[in-house]
Amino acid sequence: MALLAGVSSDYYQRMEQGRDVRPSEQVLDALARALGFSAEETRHLHSLAAAARNPVQLPRSYEPEEVPDTTLRLLSDMTSPALVIGRFLDVLAWNPLGGALLGEFTRQPQRERNLLALFLRPEADRACPNRAATVAELIGMLRTQVAADPGNPRGVELVGELAVRSDEFAALWALHDVVEPTRGQLRLDHPGSAN
């Protein structure tokens, strides 16, 4: 691996062992190329290295995520189902059509309204035709956010809860896949709609 990345075997061994080595951006890029990392995996490697370079900081306070009034107004004017999702995939707000799709989920306590919790339920297969791929993508997004802020209590709490409640989550989390958070579409089949 050291040869492929263009670094000495001693340097590479020290990196593997975590012995006070702070690889440069170029070395990280070379390692990512040698390992055949995707662009998202390379970004994740850089973010992990950046977090390791920063000295331990004093604990900071974490405020709950809030949806700005302007976003809520925009949401209420939308004519298709829409949701506002937080950093750790919490469902923070929705418009009436989005609420109709979510159904009983909207009545759950705020801390339990999370997309992964929704799609890890056994009945989710009926509502989401591509549920397994959706769950894998969401877990990759969650890993990226947890790596960006590893001390955030919401991320730590959520990963712990999901790992205990879901073998599927625990197995996918162990794969260490990363996906850059993005916007996109999600197909749901509502029981009241015609297929």
Side-chain angles (χ1 to χ4, degrees), residues 11-12 32 48 53 68 96 99 123 144 162-163 185 192:
Y11 184 79
Y12 183 76
L48 291 174
R53 285 184 199 115
E123 63 272 14
T144 299
L162 292 172
Q185 296 180 355

Side-chain angles (χ1 to χ4, degrees), residues 49 56 106 123 134:
V56 176
T106 62
E123 63 272 14
T134 299

Side-chain angles (χ1 to χ4, degrees), residues 16-155:
E16 277 188 329
Q17 295 170 352
R19 290 190 286 155
D20 198 33
V21 175
R22 297 170 193 258
S24 68
E25 302 294 314
Q26 294 82 4
V27 169
L28 293 173
D29 286 336
L31 287 170
R33 277 192 305 277
L35 292 167
F37 280 5
S38 68
E40 289 174 352
E41 291 167 331
T42 301
R43 278 192 296 274
H44 187 65
L45 177 64
H46 281 273
S47 70
L48 291 174
R53 285 184 199 115
N54 295 332
V56 176
Q57 299 174 355
L58 295 174
R60 66 177 210 214
S61 65
Y62 291 92
E63 299 298 322
E65 290 181 291
E66 292 186 18
V67 181
D69 289 337
T70 53
T71 303
L72 291 173
R73 284 193 300 275
L74 176 65
L75 193 62
S76 69
D77 290 341
M78 296 183 79
T79 58
S80 60
L83 310 172
V84 176
I85 309 299
R87 290 181 57 208
F88 298 106
L89 306 175
D90 292 315
V91 180
L92 303 176
W94 53 88
N95 67 359
L97 289 173
L101 278 177
L102 294 173
E104 291 294 318
F105 182 75
T106 62
R107 294 177 204 28
Q108 291 185 354
Q110 182 178 356
R111 300 291 286 179
E112 295 175 26
R113 289 192 309 251
N114 183 276
L115 282 182
L116 274 168
L118 177 66
F119 288 115
L120 287 169
R121 296 177 180 187
E123 63 272 14
D125 279 327
R126 291 189 306 269
C128 183
N130 200 10
R131 188 201 66 80
T134 299
V135 166
E137 183 178 15
L138 291 172
I139 289 173
M141 289 178 184
L142 178 62
R143 178 175 294 288
T144 299
Q145 290 304 313
V146 168
D149 190 3
N152 190 302
R154 177 59 183 153

